[in-house]
Amino acid sequence: MAPLSLAILVLLGHLMAISEANFHQHFDVTWGHHRAQIKDGGQLLTLSLEKDSGAGFQSKSQYLFGRIDMQIKLVAGNSAGTVTTFYLSSQGPNHDEIDFEFLGNSSGDPYTLHTNVFSQGKGNREQQFHLWFDPTTAFHTYTILWNSQRIIFLVDNIPIRVFSNLESMGVPFPNKQPMSIHSSLWNADDWATQGGRVKADWTKAPFVASYKNFKAEACISCSPGAWQTQGLDAAGRNRIRWVQSKYLIYNYCTDRKRFPQGVPVECKQSRFL
């Protein structure tokens, strides 16, 4: 066998590509058991939240770099006080984590999409957005693209945020700990909606979020650099500028009150590296 062909086979042995994955095969319900229901032969998963408990699930595999897609339809109507999540996380006090969190709101007000990146147990890198569509009437695709150079958050394949690897400047970056995929629906009415001023209306319970069409093209046990080096092309940079100019509502990099001595180092670099 030619050396190149052998190298390709070795690489493929470390990759896992799942298309239209079956929730029965690839996920475990981790809490809230009967409130997490897998339907349609494993193609659909719903989470429900009542006053006493929500629910969550987790992937059976861990990944080190890759592209993870999940289609989600969020809680409709008055979703104040609820948080629906889709994120990657490792374990332990010095864990890494890449977050999508959807903060509910009163009927007629937009959801807040909260993003964050943790490395070696340190987060505090929040950016928040409103969406340019109603995320409760249909499924939309939320993507985490994570490689050794950067993390890209995408919504319906439109980039909304880039977090670049600036370890050379002393900024921690998640590139050593494999992470599982997690999702949950839970009660956070002490802080989620308008800082906790608007509480969940439990007469509207159960609140339901739905997931489908999970797809992972990801490394299970490969070293940094074995995955793609995908970044943003000119069209992608134009799209992310559009999103951030119109829909970005909080950016830790511009919060001078929070960082009176100066914003973190990574905030001084190009946002779209």
Side-chain angles (χ1 to χ4, degrees):
M1 180 179 291
L4 180 59
S5 298
L6 179 60
I8 291 172
L9 287 176
V10 170
L11 176 59
L12 289 176
H14 291 293
L15 296 179
M16 184 178 189
I18 304 171
S19 180
E20 297 182 357
N22 187 295
F23 284 100
H24 282 301
Q25 292 178 327
H26 299 291
F27 290 90
D28 291 319
V29 174
T30 50
W31 61 284
H33 300 288
H34 69 277
R35 295 181 177 85
Q37 297 187 11
I38 299 176
K39 306 175 180 180
D40 297 344
Q43 299 304 305
L44 175 71
L45 190 152
T46 63
L47 299 178
S48 64
L49 168 65
E50 299 176 83
K51 192 170 185 178
D52 57 339
S53 180
F57 62 95
Q58 175 182 328
S59 65
K60 296 179 180 180
S61 297
Q62 293 183 313
Y63 307 96
L64 183 63
F65 306 123
R67 177 181 175 125
I68 312 294
D69 300 298
M70 186 76 79
Q71 290 191 345
I72 307 173
K73 184 164 66 172
L74 298 177
V75 174
N78 185 353
S79 58
T82 71
V83 175
T84 306
T85 70
F86 164 51
Y87 62 101
L88 303 179
S89 182
S90 62
Q91 303 298 318
N94 296 317
H95 77 295
D96 294 340
E97 188 171 321
I98 304 169
D99 289 341
F100 275 115
E101 294 186 335
F102 304 89
L103 313 185
N105 215 331
S106 302
S107 297
D109 290 333
Y111 264 84
T112 295
L113 170 53
H114 176 98
T115 66
N116 203 353
V117 176
F118 289 76
S119 183
Q120 301 172 26
K122 179 184 177 183
N124 300 321
R125 299 184 177 103
E126 304 92 344
Q127 287 187 3
Q128 295 183 339
F129 303 81
H130 285 157
L131 295 167
W132 50 96
F133 53 84
D134 183 345
T136 71
T137 59
F139 284 90
H140 292 269
T141 303
Y142 303 92
T143 301
I144 296 169
L145 193 155
W146 169 41
N147 59 42
S148 61
Q149 297 183 21
R150 61 187 61 83
I151 298 162
I152 306 176
F153 297 79
L154 302 102
V155 176
D156 288 340
N157 213 35
I158 296 174
I160 65 168
R161 178 181 183 180
V162 176
F163 185 84
S164 298
N165 184 343
L166 297 174
E167 284 187 308
S168 62
M169 301 175 64
V171 180
F173 185 84
N175 58 11
K176 298 177 179 64
Q177 301 185 64
M179 294 195 268
S180 303
I181 303 166
H182 300 255
S183 286
S184 59
L185 174 58
W186 52 287
N187 172 22
D189 72 358
D190 57 334
W191 66 270
T193 305
Q194 298 181 32
R197 292 188 296 274
V198 181
K199 304 296 185 181
D201 180 357
W202 295 110
T203 66
K204 307 296 186 184
F207 303 102
V208 178
S210 302
Y211 297 76
K212 70 175 185 178
N213 289 344
F214 156 73
K215 181 180 180 182
E217 297 177 49
C219 293
I220 296 177
S221 59
C222 53
S223 60
W227 188 242
Q228 307 171 31
T229 56
Q230 182 175 342
L232 297 182
D233 58 13
R237 290 191 293 273
N238 286 336
R239 287 179 174 179
I240 197 171
R241 289 188 184 101
W242 172 75
V243 171
Q244 295 212 345
S245 66
K246 291 183 175 292
Y247 300 103
L248 179 67
I249 60 172
Y250 176 80
N251 183 359
Y252 76 108
C253 282
T254 60
D255 193 339
R256 301 289 178 175
K257 291 183 179 180
R258 184 176 175 185
F259 302 106
Q261 304 304 315
V263 296
V265 173
E266 67 267 22
C267 298
K268 302 172 184 177
Q269 304 301 307
S270 171
R271 292 174 293 166
F272 310 135
L273 291 173

